[in-house]
Amino acid sequence: MKKIGIFPGSFDPFTIGHESIVRRSLPLFDELIISIGFNSAKQGYFPLEKRKAWIEDIFANEPKITVDTYEGLTVNYCERKKANYILRGLRTAADFEYERAIAQMNRMLVHGIETIFLLTFPEHSPISSTIVREILRHGGDASQFVPKQINFS
Ligand code: ADP
C-alpha cells in the first residue's frame, strides 16, 4: 500500500520551519500532500491562493509533493485522500500537549490514522507564522524566516 501523508496547517505564511519538517519527512512517504486548512467564515492574513502558489513554487522540483486546500475536519479530508498519516512538527512542550490531544482524538474518530511528529531543529523552534505576521504588520523584514521563493513585497 502506498504511504500517503498529509501535512495540514494554516501556513499563513509557510516558514523555513515548515519547509524543514517537509524535507526531513520525505523519506517516510511515497506521497506527501501539503494541505492548507481553511475556514470560509474566517479570512486569513494572506489569500489562500497565494499561500498555495508559494508552497507549489518552493517544492516545484519535488515529485512526491502536491499542495491542496481543504475545509472541515482533517481526518475526513485524510479519508478522502486515502492518507493514513498526518505529519506535524513539534517546537515546544506546549506544542506537544496540544498536538497530543488532537492526535489521540483523531485516532478515535478514524481508526488507522497515525500522526507522525518530527522535532523541529533547534534553530527553527522560535519561528512561527503568527510572529512573522506580526513583524509584517509593523513593517518589519521577515524574509529570513521564510523560504526565498516567498516575496512579500
Ligand atoms: P496550525 O494552524 O495547524 O498550527 P501552522 O501552519 O501554524 O498550522 O503549522 C503547521 C504545522 O507545522 C504544525 O504541526 C506546527 O507545529 C508545525 N510548525 C509550525 N512552525 C514550525 C517550525 N518553526 N518548525 C517546525 N514545525 C513548525
Side-chain angles (χ1 to χ4, degrees):
M1 202 169 75
K2 256 195 183 175
K3 292 199 275 291
I4 303 176
I6 300 284
F7 185 41
S10 318
F11 307 123
D12 192 16
F14 201 80
T15 68
I16 56 173
H18 296 131
E19 181 181 10
S20 165
I21 294 291
V22 167
R23 295 204 189 276
R24 288 167 58 205
S25 77
L26 279 184
L28 302 174
F29 302 113
D30 298 310
E31 282 177 32
L32 181 68
I33 310 173
I34 302 173
S35 306
I36 312 174
F38 69 95
N39 175 346
S40 47
K42 257 195 343 204
Q43 180 93 36
Y45 186 82
F46 289 106
L48 198 55
E49 281 314 311
K50 189 161 194 179
R51 282 182 257 165
K52 182 166 182 269
W54 273 331
I55 303 170
E56 281 168 345
D57 194 19
I58 294 161
F59 298 108
N61 295 321
E62 186 43 71
K64 280 187 184 178
I65 294 180
T66 52
V67 187
D68 192 19
T69 60
Y70 73 102
E71 190 165 21
L73 281 182
T74 303
V75 284
N76 292 345
Y77 173 75
C78 288
E79 285 185 309
R80 292 201 295 281
K81 292 289 171 184
K82 303 196 184 334
N84 285 325
Y85 302 98
I86 296 175
L87 172 68
R88 298 287 286 175
L90 291 180
R91 289 166 291 184
T92 60
D95 270 0
F96 170 73
E97 284 303 328
Y98 175 72
E99 296 288 342
R100 178 171 58 117
I102 295 177
Q104 289 174 334
M105 289 185 70
N106 279 345
R107 260 192 78 89
M108 290 193 253
L109 288 172
V110 175
H111 185 75
I113 291 268
E114 291 290 0
T115 305
I116 312 280
F117 295 106
L118 289 187
L119 288 178
T120 184
F121 282 158
E123 63 269 33
H124 293 151
S125 61
I127 300 174
S128 76
S129 302
T130 307
I131 301 177
V132 167
R133 292 195 300 274
E134 202 58 22
I135 293 169
L136 295 173
R137 263 191 208 105
H138 297 287
D141 176 8
S143 57
Q144 66 179 302
F145 306 117
V146 298
K148 62 178 183 324
Q149 291 84 351
I150 297 185
N151 185 351
F152 294 123
S153 50

